[in-house]
C-alpha cells in the first residue's frame, strides 16, 4: 500500500465565487503569487495570428478578481508568428518568453517580454536566435547569483539554448 501526503502553503481554506469565461482556453493555470494577489494565465489560441494571453490577478483574501488584461503582443507581427514559451512571476513582475517563427523562412528567435506589477509592458528584447527549434533544448534558470546574469534587466534569469 502506497500512501501519499500532500502539504499546502495555505493554512486556511479560502472559498470564492466560481470564475468562468465563455471562450475555451488552450491553456489555463496558476502562475504565482505576490504579497496580496494570486496570478493566473489563460492562453486562447484561435489561429496563428489571433491569440490571447489573459493575465488575471485575484485577491488572496477572498479570491475576488482585481485585474484582467490580455498581454499577448507580437512586435514582429509583419514577419513572424509568435507563441508563448514560458512564463515566470518574479517579485511581482511577469517574464514572458516567446518563440518567434519567421512566416516564410522558418527561422526562429527567442524573445522576452517583461511586464510590471500593473501588467504594463516594461521591456521587450530578442535574446537569442535558434537554428533548429525541434533539436534545441531551451533552459531557463532562475538564480540569485548575479554572476549568472546576462543582462542588467534580467539580473536573476539565465537563458541557455
Amino acid at each position: 500500500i502506497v500512501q501519499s501526503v500532500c502539504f499546502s502553503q495555505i493554512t486556511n481554506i479560502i472559498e470564492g465565487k466560481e470564475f468562468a469565461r465563455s471562450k475555451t482556453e488552450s491553456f489555463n493555470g496558476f502562475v504565482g503569487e505576490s504579497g496580496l494577489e494570486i496570478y493566473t494565465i489563460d492562453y486562447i489560441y484561435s489561429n496563428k495570428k489571433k491569440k490571447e494571453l489573459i493575465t488575471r490577478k485575484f485577491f488572496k483574501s477572498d479570491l475576488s478578481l482585481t485585474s484582467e488584461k490580455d498581454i499577448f503582443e507580437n512586435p514582429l507581427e509583419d514577419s513572424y508568428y509568435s507563441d508563448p514559451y514560458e512564463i515566470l512571476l518574479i517579485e511581482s513582475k511577469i517574464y514572458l518568453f516567446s518563440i518567434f517563427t519567421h512566416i516564410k523562412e522558418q527561422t526562429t528567435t527567442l524573445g522576452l517580454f517583461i511586464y510590471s506589477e500593473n501588467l504594463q509592458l516594461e521591456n521587450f528584447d530578442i535574446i537569442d536566435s535558434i537554428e533548429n527549434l525541434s533539436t534545441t533544448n531551451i533552459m531557463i534558470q532562475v538564480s540569485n547569483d548575479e554572476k549568472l546574469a546576462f543582462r542588467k534587466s534580467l539580473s536573476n534569469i539565465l537563458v541557455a539554448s
Side-chain angles (χ1 to χ4, degrees):
I1 297 175
V2 176
Q3 181 180 8
S4 72
V5 178
C6 297
F7 295 96
S8 172
Q9 294 176 351
I10 301 173
T11 55
N12 298 324
I13 296 174
I14 302 166
E15 291 187 30
K17 296 187 311 186
E18 179 182 1
F19 184 82
R21 14 179 324 129
S22 58
K23 294 183 181 181
T24 52
E25 291 109 7
S26 300
F27 167 83
N28 59 11
F30 172 78
V31 176
E33 62 182 294
S34 65
L36 299 173
E37 296 172 308
I38 295 172
Y39 290 71
T40 66
I41 293 285
D42 293 335
Y43 177 51
I44 302 160
Y45 178 96
S46 299
N47 59 48
K48 286 187 176 186
K49 289 199 173 205
K50 184 165 175 40
K51 302 170 187 176
E52 294 176 73
L53 195 61
I54 309 296
T55 303
R56 292 187 183 88
K57 295 178 2 179
F58 299 88
F59 274 128
K60 280 188 197 178
S61 60
D62 63 1
L63 300 179
S64 61
L65 181 67
T66 60
S67 65
E68 173 180 50
K69 184 175 182 182
D70 180 2
I71 63 170
F72 183 82
E73 296 186 39
N74 186 355
L76 309 175
E77 186 171 7
D78 295 337
S79 304
Y80 289 83
Y81 295 125
S82 174
D83 290 297
Y85 180 75
E86 185 72 48
I87 190 160
L88 304 169
L89 178 71
I90 301 171
E91 296 177 5
S92 299
K93 287 189 177 189
I94 293 176
Y95 293 80
L96 170 63
F97 294 86
S98 291
I99 299 290
F100 293 91
T101 306
H102 195 278
I103 293 170
K104 294 180 183 172
E105 299 172 15
Q106 295 304 306
T107 58
T108 306
T109 56
L110 180 66
L112 174 63
F113 298 88
I114 301 174
Y115 294 91
S116 66
E117 185 174 7
N118 60 358
L119 307 177
Q120 298 300 315
L121 180 62
E122 285 185 352
N123 191 23
F124 168 73
D125 226 345
I126 295 294
I127 57 175
D128 205 352
S129 59
I130 302 168
E131 190 171 319
N132 187 342
L133 183 60
S134 64
T135 61
T136 302
N137 183 24
I138 300 171
M139 181 181 73
I140 299 168
Q141 177 181 343
V142 178
S143 173
N144 290 329
D145 185 353
E146 291 188 21
K147 293 176 186 173
L148 293 176
F150 70 101
R151 294 186 192 266
K152 286 182 183 176
S153 62
L154 303 175
S155 61
N156 58 354
I157 295 178
L158 173 71
V159 177
S161 59

